[in-house]
Amino acid sequence: MSIIGKSGQHVGDNSSAIQVAGNATIGNSTTEVMEICRLVVMERFSALREDAMNVAIQRAQEFAVNITERLNSELDDRIEKKLQDPDLQFAIGEATTIVAKKGDKTKSELLQEIIVSKIHNENEETDLLLDHALEITKRLTTSEIKLLAIIFYFRQIIDYIEGKSIYSIVNDYSNNIIHSTIALETCYFIYKRRFDLDSPLLNRITHDLSSIYPVNINHLEIKGCLYNGKRYSDSSQHIISKYSGLTIESDEQFSTHFPYFKKIIDAFGFHSLSELDEVIPNELGDIIAQNFINAQGGLN
Protein backbone atom coordinates (compact mmCIF):
# COMPACT_ATOMS: atom_id res chain seq x y z
CA MET A 1 0.00 0.00 0.00
CA SER A 2 1.33 3.44 -0.85
CA ILE A 3 0.98 5.98 1.91
CA ILE A 4 0.96 8.86 -0.55
CA GLY A 5 -2.15 9.48 -2.56
CA LYS A 6 -3.19 12.22 -4.96
CA SER A 7 -3.85 14.62 -2.10
CA GLY A 8 -0.39 14.03 -0.55
CA GLN A 9 -1.89 11.78 2.10
CA HIS A 10 -3.34 8.35 2.33
CA VAL A 11 -4.78 6.82 5.46
CA GLY A 12 -4.94 3.07 5.60
CA ASP A 13 -5.62 0.49 8.26
CA ASN A 14 -3.92 1.23 11.59
CA SER A 15 -2.34 4.39 10.26
CA SER A 16 -2.55 8.10 10.95
CA ALA A 17 -2.46 10.90 8.41
CA ILE A 18 0.58 13.16 8.34
CA GLN A 19 0.64 16.14 5.99
CA VAL A 20 4.06 17.19 4.68
CA ALA A 21 4.54 20.81 5.70
CA GLY A 22 5.34 23.63 3.33
CA ASN A 23 5.65 23.16 -0.40
CA ALA A 24 7.51 19.86 -0.35
CA THR A 25 7.71 18.02 -3.64
CA ILE A 26 7.12 14.31 -3.11
CA GLY A 27 9.26 12.12 -5.34
CA ASN A 28 10.37 8.50 -5.40
CA SER A 29 12.96 9.03 -2.67
CA THR A 30 10.55 10.55 -0.18
CA THR A 31 7.85 7.96 -0.74
CA GLU A 32 10.41 5.18 -0.26
CA VAL A 33 11.56 6.61 3.08
CA MET A 34 8.00 6.96 4.31
CA GLU A 35 7.07 3.48 3.15
CA ILE A 36 10.12 1.93 4.86
CA CYS A 37 9.20 3.61 8.15
CA ARG A 38 5.58 2.48 7.93
CA LEU A 39 6.45 -1.12 7.08
CA VAL A 40 8.96 -1.34 9.92
CA VAL A 41 6.33 -0.33 12.46
CA MET A 42 3.72 -2.67 11.00
CA GLU A 43 6.17 -5.59 11.25
CA ARG A 44 7.98 -4.92 14.53
CA PHE A 45 5.02 -3.57 16.51
CA SER A 46 2.38 -5.97 15.22
CA ALA A 47 1.70 -7.36 18.70
CA LEU A 48 0.66 -3.98 20.09
CA ARG A 49 -2.93 -3.08 20.80
CA GLU A 50 -4.54 -0.76 18.27
CA ASP A 51 -4.18 2.43 20.34
CA ALA A 52 -0.46 1.81 20.95
CA MET A 53 0.03 0.83 17.31
CA ASN A 54 -1.53 4.11 16.17
CA VAL A 55 0.85 6.08 18.39
CA ALA A 56 3.84 4.14 17.02
CA ILE A 57 2.74 4.72 13.41
CA GLN A 58 2.14 8.42 14.09
CA ARG A 59 5.67 8.79 15.46
CA ALA A 60 7.17 6.81 12.58
CA GLN A 61 5.38 8.87 9.95
CA GLU A 62 6.44 12.14 11.59
CA PHE A 63 9.99 10.82 11.62
CA ALA A 64 9.77 9.92 7.93
CA VAL A 65 8.32 13.30 7.02
CA ASN A 66 11.15 15.11 8.80
CA ILE A 67 13.77 13.05 6.94
CA THR A 68 12.11 13.61 3.58
CA GLU A 69 11.83 17.35 4.18
CA ARG A 70 15.57 17.41 4.92
CA LEU A 71 16.15 15.68 1.58
CA ASN A 72 13.49 17.53 -0.36
CA SER A 73 15.90 19.88 -2.14
CA GLU A 74 18.27 17.02 -2.99
CA LEU A 75 16.08 14.49 -4.76
CA ASP A 76 18.43 12.95 -7.29
CA ASP A 77 19.50 9.59 -8.70
CA ARG A 78 22.27 9.18 -6.12
CA ILE A 79 19.83 9.36 -3.22
CA GLU A 80 17.40 6.98 -4.92
CA LYS A 81 20.25 4.52 -5.48
CA LYS A 82 21.29 4.81 -1.83
CA LEU A 83 17.75 4.02 -0.73
CA GLN A 84 17.96 0.71 -2.59
CA ASP A 85 20.91 -0.32 -0.39
CA PRO A 86 19.90 -2.84 2.32
CA ASP A 87 22.36 -1.18 4.72
CA LEU A 88 20.54 2.16 4.53
CA GLN A 89 17.09 0.56 4.67
CA PHE A 90 18.16 -1.36 7.77
CA ALA A 91 19.48 1.86 9.36
CA ILE A 92 16.20 3.65 8.65
CA GLY A 93 14.37 0.69 10.15
CA GLU A 94 16.46 0.74 13.31
CA ALA A 95 16.05 4.50 13.73
CA THR A 96 12.31 4.26 13.13
CA THR A 97 12.01 1.53 15.77
CA ILE A 98 13.73 3.72 18.37
CA VAL A 99 11.56 6.74 17.58
CA ALA A 100 8.31 4.80 17.38
CA LYS A 101 9.03 3.12 20.71
CA LYS A 102 10.12 6.15 22.75
CA GLY A 103 8.92 9.23 20.85
CA ASP A 104 11.79 11.31 22.26
CA LYS A 105 12.21 14.59 20.35
CA THR A 106 15.95 14.96 20.94
CA LYS A 107 16.71 11.41 19.84
CA SER A 108 14.38 11.74 16.87
CA GLU A 109 16.22 14.86 15.67
CA LEU A 110 19.59 13.17 16.13
CA LEU A 111 18.52 9.98 14.36
CA GLN A 112 17.08 11.95 11.43
CA GLU A 113 20.44 13.65 10.97
CA ILE A 114 22.36 10.38 11.24
CA ILE A 115 20.22 8.90 8.46
CA VAL A 116 20.74 12.00 6.30
CA SER A 117 24.49 11.78 6.98
CA LYS A 118 24.51 8.13 5.91
CA ILE A 119 22.77 9.08 2.67
CA HIS A 120 25.35 11.76 1.93
CA ASN A 121 28.40 9.84 3.15
CA GLU A 122 30.75 7.94 0.81
CA ASN A 123 33.47 7.00 3.32
CA GLU A 124 33.41 3.48 4.76
CA GLU A 125 34.96 4.35 8.14
CA THR A 126 32.57 7.26 8.64
CA ASP A 127 29.67 5.02 7.67
CA LEU A 128 30.65 2.52 10.36
CA LEU A 129 30.86 5.32 12.92
CA LEU A 130 27.39 6.51 11.87
CA ASP A 131 26.07 2.96 12.33
CA HIS A 132 27.61 2.87 15.79
CA ALA A 133 26.14 6.29 16.60
CA LEU A 134 22.71 5.08 15.52
CA GLU A 135 23.00 2.02 17.74
CA ILE A 136 24.26 3.90 20.80
CA THR A 137 21.70 6.73 20.54
CA LYS A 138 18.95 4.57 22.03
CA ARG A 139 21.12 4.16 25.14
CA LEU A 140 21.85 7.87 25.60
CA THR A 141 19.83 10.26 27.71
CA THR A 142 18.80 13.64 26.34
CA SER A 143 21.22 15.33 28.74
CA GLU A 144 24.10 13.11 27.59
CA ILE A 145 23.45 14.01 23.94
CA LYS A 146 23.32 17.70 24.76
CA LEU A 147 26.48 17.55 26.88
CA LEU A 148 28.40 16.03 23.96
CA ALA A 149 27.01 18.81 21.76
CA ILE A 150 27.98 21.55 24.23
CA ILE A 151 31.57 20.29 24.42
CA PHE A 152 31.73 20.11 20.61
CA TYR A 153 30.26 23.62 20.40
CA PHE A 154 32.84 25.00 22.81
CA ARG A 155 35.88 23.11 21.57
CA GLN A 156 35.36 22.61 17.83
CA ILE A 157 32.97 25.16 16.35
CA ILE A 158 34.88 28.17 15.09
CA ASP A 159 33.58 31.60 14.09
CA TYR A 160 34.84 33.26 10.92
CA ILE A 161 35.15 36.85 9.73
CA GLU A 162 35.69 37.52 6.04
CA GLY A 163 36.52 33.85 5.60
CA LYS A 164 39.16 33.85 8.32
CA SER A 165 39.02 32.02 11.64
CA ILE A 166 38.85 34.39 14.60
CA TYR A 167 41.31 32.04 16.32
CA SER A 168 43.90 32.56 13.61
CA ILE A 169 43.29 36.32 13.60
CA VAL A 170 43.77 36.57 17.38
CA ASN A 171 46.94 34.45 17.07
CA ASP A 172 48.19 36.75 14.31
CA TYR A 173 47.72 39.79 16.54
CA SER A 174 49.66 38.07 19.34
CA ASN A 175 52.49 37.66 16.80
CA ASN A 176 52.25 41.35 15.78
CA ILE A 177 50.55 40.54 12.47
CA ILE A 178 47.93 43.24 11.94
CA HIS A 179 44.72 42.76 9.94
CA SER A 180 43.79 46.02 8.30
CA THR A 181 40.06 45.25 7.99
CA ILE A 182 39.47 43.20 11.15
CA ALA A 183 40.10 44.69 14.59
CA LEU A 184 41.22 42.49 17.47
CA GLU A 185 38.35 43.81 19.58
CA THR A 186 35.90 42.60 16.93
CA CYS A 187 37.21 39.05 17.35
CA TYR A 188 36.92 39.33 21.12
CA PHE A 189 33.34 40.56 20.81
CA ILE A 190 32.32 37.71 18.49
CA TYR A 191 33.94 35.10 20.70
CA LYS A 192 32.29 36.39 23.89
CA ARG A 193 28.90 36.47 22.18
CA ARG A 194 28.93 32.68 21.70
CA PHE A 195 28.42 32.23 25.47
CA ASP A 196 25.52 34.65 25.80
CA LEU A 197 21.85 34.00 26.38
CA ASP A 198 21.02 35.34 22.92
CA SER A 199 23.44 33.02 21.07
CA PRO A 200 21.08 31.29 18.59
CA LEU A 201 22.98 28.00 18.24
CA LEU A 202 23.70 27.71 21.95
CA ASN A 203 19.99 28.13 22.67
CA ARG A 204 19.02 25.59 20.03
CA ILE A 205 21.37 23.04 21.60
CA THR A 206 20.25 23.50 25.19
CA HIS A 207 16.67 24.61 24.36
CA ASP A 208 15.40 24.54 27.93
CA LEU A 209 17.79 24.39 30.88
CA SER A 210 15.07 22.97 33.13
CA SER A 211 15.04 19.83 30.94
CA ILE A 212 18.77 19.18 31.47
CA TYR A 213 19.89 16.96 34.33
CA PRO A 214 23.32 16.13 35.77
CA VAL A 215 25.24 13.62 33.65
CA ASN A 216 27.04 10.66 35.16
CA ILE A 217 30.34 10.74 33.27
CA ASN A 218 31.08 7.12 34.16
CA HIS A 219 27.90 6.09 32.35
CA LEU A 220 28.80 8.13 29.28
CA GLU A 221 32.22 6.49 29.28
CA ILE A 222 30.71 3.00 29.60
CA LYS A 223 28.50 3.78 26.60
CA GLY A 224 31.66 4.34 24.57
CA CYS A 225 31.43 8.07 23.88
CA LEU A 226 34.46 9.31 25.86
CA TYR A 227 38.20 8.79 26.01
CA ASN A 228 39.13 7.09 29.26
CA GLY A 229 41.30 8.92 31.79
CA LYS A 230 42.25 11.88 29.59
CA ARG A 231 41.83 15.63 29.88
CA TYR A 232 42.34 18.50 27.45
CA SER A 233 45.84 19.96 27.40
CA ASP A 234 44.46 23.48 26.85
CA SER A 235 42.23 24.38 29.77
CA SER A 236 38.89 26.07 29.21
CA GLN A 237 40.04 29.03 31.30
CA HIS A 238 43.11 29.49 29.07
CA ILE A 239 41.10 29.26 25.84
CA ILE A 240 38.40 31.67 27.01
CA SER A 241 40.98 34.16 28.29
CA LYS A 242 42.94 34.07 25.04
CA TYR A 243 40.03 34.57 22.65
CA SER A 244 37.79 36.81 24.73
CA GLY A 245 40.50 39.25 25.79
CA LEU A 246 39.41 38.79 29.40
CA THR A 247 41.35 37.44 32.36
CA ILE A 248 39.71 34.19 33.44
CA GLU A 249 41.75 32.61 36.21
CA SER A 250 38.97 31.32 38.42
CA ASP A 251 35.44 29.97 38.20
CA GLU A 252 34.25 33.12 39.95
CA GLN A 253 35.64 35.28 37.14
CA PHE A 254 34.14 32.94 34.56
CA SER A 255 30.76 33.13 36.28
CA THR A 256 30.92 36.92 36.43
CA HIS A 257 31.65 37.37 32.74
CA PHE A 258 29.58 34.45 31.38
CA PRO A 259 26.70 33.80 33.80
CA TYR A 260 24.46 32.04 31.27
CA PHE A 261 27.11 29.55 30.16
CA LYS A 262 27.91 28.93 33.84
CA LYS A 263 24.24 28.01 34.36
CA ILE A 264 24.52 25.53 31.50
CA ILE A 265 27.60 23.93 33.01
CA ASP A 266 25.86 23.75 36.39
CA ALA A 267 22.80 22.11 34.83
CA PHE A 268 24.94 19.22 33.60
CA GLY A 269 26.31 18.76 37.12
CA PHE A 270 29.75 20.37 36.75
CA HIS A 271 30.99 22.60 39.56
CA SER A 272 33.92 24.05 37.63
CA LEU A 273 35.42 24.45 34.17
CA SER A 274 38.24 22.21 35.33
CA GLU A 275 35.77 19.34 35.78
CA LEU A 276 34.48 19.90 32.25
CA ASP A 277 38.05 19.70 30.92
CA GLU A 278 38.16 16.07 32.07
CA VAL A 279 35.35 15.08 29.70
CA ILE A 280 36.82 14.35 26.25
CA PRO A 281 34.47 12.88 23.63
CA ASN A 282 36.04 10.34 21.28
CA GLU A 283 35.20 10.01 17.58
CA LEU A 284 31.87 8.40 18.37
CA GLY A 285 30.99 11.16 20.83
CA ASP A 286 32.00 13.80 18.28
CA ILE A 287 29.94 12.33 15.47
CA ILE A 288 26.89 12.18 17.74
CA ALA A 289 27.48 15.78 18.82
CA GLN A 290 28.04 17.06 15.30
CA ASN A 291 24.94 15.39 13.93
CA PHE A 292 22.82 16.71 16.79
CA ILE A 293 24.13 20.23 16.19
CA ASN A 294 23.43 19.88 12.46
CA ALA A 295 19.91 18.78 13.35
CA GLN A 296 19.48 22.08 15.22
CA GLY A 297 20.35 24.02 12.08
CA GLY A 298 24.10 24.06 12.60
CA LEU A 299 25.61 27.50 12.10
CA ASN A 300 22.61 28.74 10.10
Side-chain angles (χ1 to χ4, degrees):
M1 179 190 75
S2 172
I3 62 172
I4 300 295
K6 292 181 180 179
S7 66
Q9 286 182 307
H10 183 86
V11 183
D13 297 336
N14 295 318
S15 62
S16 304
I18 299 292
Q19 178 65 52
V20 178
N23 298 315
T25 301
I26 302 298
N28 290 337
S29 298
T30 55
T31 55
E32 279 195 51
V33 172
M34 297 180 78
E35 186 71 359
I36 290 168
C37 293
R38 186 190 68 83
L39 291 174
V40 164
V41 172
M42 297 300 291
E43 177 186 348
R44 300 186 185 183
F45 293 78
S46 58
L48 296 182
R49 292 176 54 174
E50 183 177 357
D51 53 352
M53 174 66 87
N54 286 338
V55 171
I57 290 177
Q58 176 85 6
R59 291 171 177 172
Q61 289 186 326
E62 289 175 350
F63 181 68
V65 166
N66 289 332
I67 292 175
T68 57
E69 287 184 337
R70 287 281 284 103
L71 297 172
N72 184 51
S73 61
E74 306 171 31
L75 297 177
D76 56 27
D77 293 339
R78 181 174 59 85
I79 292 177
E80 288 190 27
K81 184 177 179 180
K82 279 263 191 175
L83 286 170
Q84 295 170 11
D85 187 342
D87 173 62
L88 182 60
Q89 290 197 22
F90 183 84
I92 293 173
E94 290 297 290
T96 302
T97 301
I98 296 168
V99 173
K101 183 179 178 181
K102 293 293 188 181
D104 181 89
K105 182 176 183 292
T106 298
K107 289 186 181 181
S108 178
E109 291 171 344
L110 172 56
L111 291 166
Q112 291 164 31
E113 197 64 33
I114 289 173
I115 295 300
V116 171
S117 293
K118 276 185 68 68
I119 290 173
H120 291 158
N121 176 64
E122 299 294 342
N123 180 277
E124 183 179 7
E125 288 188 4
T126 301
D127 194 65
L128 290 172
L129 268 177
L130 289 166
D131 284 341
H132 197 176
L134 189 154
E135 169 63 24
I136 208 67
T137 293
K138 66 184 177 185
R139 298 186 175 90
L140 295 175
T141 67
T142 296
S143 293
E144 287 172 338
I145 293 170
K146 290 186 175 183
L147 174 60
L148 292 171
I150 283 294
I151 295 172
F152 191 93
Y153 172 82
F154 173 61
R155 288 278 178 175
Q156 300 198 44
I157 288 184
I158 302 172
D159 295 298
Y160 286 80
I161 308 175
E162 297 179 5
K164 299 175 182 176
S165 158
I166 64 169
Y167 290 174
S168 64
I169 296 171
V170 171
N171 290 334
D172 282 347
Y173 270 100
S174 66
N175 292 317
N176 296 317
I177 300 173
I178 308 301
H179 289 260
S180 59
T181 61
I182 305 172
L184 180 60
E185 288 301 324
T186 301
C187 295
Y188 289 157
F189 174 79
I190 290 173
Y191 184 79
K192 287 184 287 189
R193 190 175 59 186
R194 67 191 283 132
F195 299 102
D196 291 346
L197 177 62
D198 59 353
S199 169
L201 180 54
L202 183 59
N203 272 288
R204 291 197 298 269
I205 293 171
T206 56
H207 182 59
D208 178 12
L209 288 185
S210 66
S211 67
I212 296 175
Y213 296 92
V215 171
N216 187 319
I217 299 306
N218 291 329
H219 291 176
L220 199 52
E221 190 174 296
I222 290 170
K223 294 171 187 178
C225 296
L226 304 179
Y227 285 114
N228 182 19
K230 293 186 178 182
R231 66 179 293 134
Y232 287 104
S233 55
D234 271 348
S235 71
S236 297
Q237 287 186 7
H238 172 74
I239 293 171
I240 294 171
S241 296
K242 183 174 183 178
Y243 297 110
S244 69
L246 301 169
T247 299
I248 307 294
E249 296 178 339
S250 69
D251 287 296
E252 290 74 19
Q253 289 175 325
F254 171 68
S255 181
T256 298
H257 290 291
F258 305 104
Y260 180 63
F261 201 75
K262 179 62 166 59
K263 286 182 180 179
I264 293 174
I265 300 305
D266 289 343
F268 286 110
F270 295 97
H271 303 294
S272 67
L273 283 173
S274 179
E275 286 185 15
L276 189 63
D277 289 340
E278 296 176 1
V279 185
I280 307 183
N282 56 23
E283 286 183 301
L284 175 62
D286 280 346
I287 207 164
I288 289 170
Q290 187 171 11
N291 275 276
F292 178 69
I293 289 172
N294 288 342
Q296 308 313 306
L299 298 178
N300 296 328

